[in-house]
Amino acid sequence: MSDDEQRGGGAGAVHRADGLLGDLQAADERPVAPRRRADAERNRAQILAAAERLFAEQDPRSVTMDRIAKAAGVGRATLYRSFPDPSSVAVALLDEHERRLQGQLIHGPPPLGPGAPADERLAAFYLAMLDLLERHLPLALGAETGPARFRTGAYGFWRVHVRTLLVDHGVEDPDPLVDIALSPLSPELFQFQRHELGLSVERVGRSLTSFARRLLRSGNGS
C-alpha cells in the first residue's frame, strides 16, 4: 500500500471522493424529476377543474386565461406552459368525454358500434352526440365553435366515421356530404335550438334520426 493510500490521500482518494460526491449529488437529483412531474400534474388538474367551473358559470367564449389562472391559483406562466389559450383548455376537458364515445363507435355494440346498417349507425351517432352536447355544452362552446371546430382532432374523427358510413352505404361521392351530415351537431346550433327555441333533446333527436335515414336512402341514388 502506498504512503498516499495509507494517509487516505492521493489520486485514488480524490477519485473515490469525487465518485462519492457524484453519487450523492445524483441521489439528491433523482427525486427532482418525479416531483416536477407531480407538481405539473397537480397544476394541470387544478387548471382543468377551475376552467370547467368557469365554462359552466359564464359564457364560455368570455373565459380568459387570466380568469383561469386566478381561479386555479396558479401563475400565468404556469398556465401558459400547459395551454396556449382558453379553447385549448376546453378541448382538453372535452377530450375525455369524446374519447369514450369514439371507443363506442369502434368497439361498442350496434347500432352505435359496428354491425348495424349505415343509416341506423348514423342515427345512433346523432343521438349519442346530442347527449354529449346536452351534458357538456359549455365545454363544446369553449372548444369547438366557429372555424376552430373543424381543426379539432375530434371533428376529424367524426368526419372519418361519417364518411365511412356513407361509403358503406354506397354513396358515390361522399366528401361533399360529410360536413353537411355533421353540421346539425354544431355546438352553436345546439345551443340555439335548446336554449333559444326551447326544443327538447328528444325532439331534435327524432328529427336527426329521420334526417339520417333520408340522407342515406337518397345518397346512393335509390
Side-chain angles (χ1 to χ4, degrees), residues 14-110:
V14 171
H15 288 312
R16 286 194 298 274
D18 287 345
L20 179 60
L21 179 59
D23 290 342
L24 291 174
Q25 288 175 335
D28 286 341
E29 291 171 358
R30 274 194 294 270
V32 171
R35 279 203 300 269
R36 286 176 179 167
R37 285 196 295 271
D39 289 345
E41 287 300 319
R42 184 169 58 252
N43 289 336
R44 180 182 173 85
Q46 289 176 210
I47 290 166
L48 292 177
E52 188 154 25
R53 289 195 301 271
L54 289 176
F55 285 128
E57 292 168 358
Q58 61 192 73
D59 184 341
R61 289 160 291 193
S62 70
V63 174
T64 65
M65 294 294 271
D66 284 338
R67 290 181 179 178
I68 294 173
K70 183 176 180 181
V74 301
R76 284 170 51 88
T78 297
L79 176 59
Y80 277 103
R81 274 197 295 271
S82 299
F83 302 101
D85 50 44
S87 66
S88 65
V89 183
V91 167
L93 286 165
L94 191 60
D95 182 65
E96 180 180 348
H97 307 298
E98 292 177 326
R99 283 181 183 274
R100 282 199 287 268
L101 176 54
Q102 290 166 6
Q104 292 174 323
L105 293 173
I106 298 172
H107 304 294

Side-chain angles (χ1 to χ4, degrees), residues 178-189:
V178 175
D179 300 297
I180 294 172
L182 287 169
S183 61
L185 301 175
S186 159
E188 294 160 308
L189 175 60

Side-chain angles (χ1 to χ4, degrees), residues 1-13 16:
M1 180 180 293
S2 68
D3 291 341
D4 284 341
E5 288 172 328
Q6 288 176 336
R7 290 194 300 271
R16 286 194 298 274

Side-chain angles (χ1 to χ4, degrees), residues 10 20 89 100 114 117 127 133 150 154 169 179 197 205 221:
L20 179 60
V89 183
R100 282 199 287 268
L127 296 179
L133 288 170
F150 305 109
H169 192 66
D179 300 297
L197 298 182

